[in-house]
Amino acid sequence: MRAEAAKRVELVFSLFDANGNGVIDSDDFDLMTGRVLEAAVASDAGAKEAIRKAFRRWWTTLATELDADGDGVFTIDEFRPFVLDPARFGPTVSEFAEALSALGDPDGDGLIERPLFLSLMTAIGFEEANIHALFDAFGPDTEDRITVASWATGIEDYYAPDLAGIPGDRLVGAPAV
C-alpha cells in the first residue's frame, strides 16, 4: 500500500469512528448517516434512502469482512490492513460514491455547488480547508461547481490502495509541493 493510501486509511478510520471512542461500531454509522442527512436538506427521499443504504452497506461489509473476533467493533489494527482491498470493498465503495455524489446534486443538473459539497463533507467529518482543497482539485467551473461524475470517481479513487497524487489526497493535508 502506498504511503498516501496509508494516510487515507488512518483518516477514514477516524471519520468512521464518528463518536470518537477509538473503535468503529454500528452506532458510528448511524451517527454519520444522521449528520449527512441533516446536511442534505434539499435532496429528495430517494437520494436520502440511497445514502442510508450505502452507509448500512458499509457497516455490513465491515462487520462481515473485518470482525474476526465477533465483538461487533473494529480497532484500527483490524481495519488498517483490509479496508482498501478492492476485492472486499469495491462494490461497497462504488455504491457509496454514487449515493453521496447524487446527494450533492439535489436539482439533478449533474453539477455540485461548493456550499453543498462543503456541508456534506463537513458532516462526514473532513476539515474545511482540506474540503476546499479537494473541491479545487476537481477543477470547478466558472460558477464554482464540479460534476457529479468527477466526485463519484474521486471517492472511488480515494479507496484505491495503489493510487497517489489523486484529488482525495488533499483530504489528509496539504499536498506535497
Side-chain angles (χ1 to χ4, degrees):
M1 178 184 309
R2 297 184 64 104
E4 296 87 344
K7 289 178 185 178
R8 294 191 305 261
V9 167
E10 301 295 323
L11 179 58
V12 167
F13 183 86
S14 72
L15 298 173
F16 281 175
D17 179 17
N19 64 14
N21 68 352
V23 296
I24 299 172
D25 59 35
S26 65
D27 291 341
D28 290 311
F29 281 85
D30 293 340
L31 182 59
M32 187 180 292
T33 301
R35 289 176 185 165
V36 170
L37 289 173
E38 283 180 30
V41 294
S43 296
D44 66 29
K48 290 177 180 179
E49 184 57 25
I51 199 67
R52 275 189 202 95
K53 285 181 180 179
F55 275 122
R56 212 170 310 134
R57 182 168 182 180
W58 258 120
W59 171 250
T60 300
T61 303
L62 287 170
T64 301
E65 294 291 332
L66 302 184
D67 194 9
D69 59 10
D71 64 355
V73 300
F74 310 103
T75 65
I76 187 66
D77 292 331
E78 288 173 298
F79 186 80
R80 190 181 290 121
F82 302 108
V83 75
L84 296 186
D85 182 343
R88 290 179 161 177
F89 294 97
T92 300
V93 170
S94 293
E95 179 181 341
F96 178 74
E98 183 178 317
L100 185 60
S101 59
L103 202 62
D105 182 24
D107 60 7
D109 66 355
L111 299 168
I112 301 166
E113 290 79 18
R114 186 184 298 261
L116 183 52
F117 183 86
L118 178 63
S119 293
L120 292 170
M121 295 293 281
T122 300
I124 291 171
F126 292 104
E127 297 291 328
E128 185 173 344
N130 296 346
I131 297 167
H132 285 292
L134 173 62
F135 193 87
D136 292 340
F138 286 137
D141 66 14
T142 58
E143 295 180 45
D144 209 25
R145 304 171 303 183
I146 62 170
T147 66
V148 170
S150 65
W151 192 16
T153 298
I155 294 168
E156 290 185 12
D157 288 351
Y158 189 83
Y159 290 92
D162 56 341
L163 295 181
I166 60 171
D169 284 336
R170 285 152 183 85
L171 292 171
V172 296
V177 184

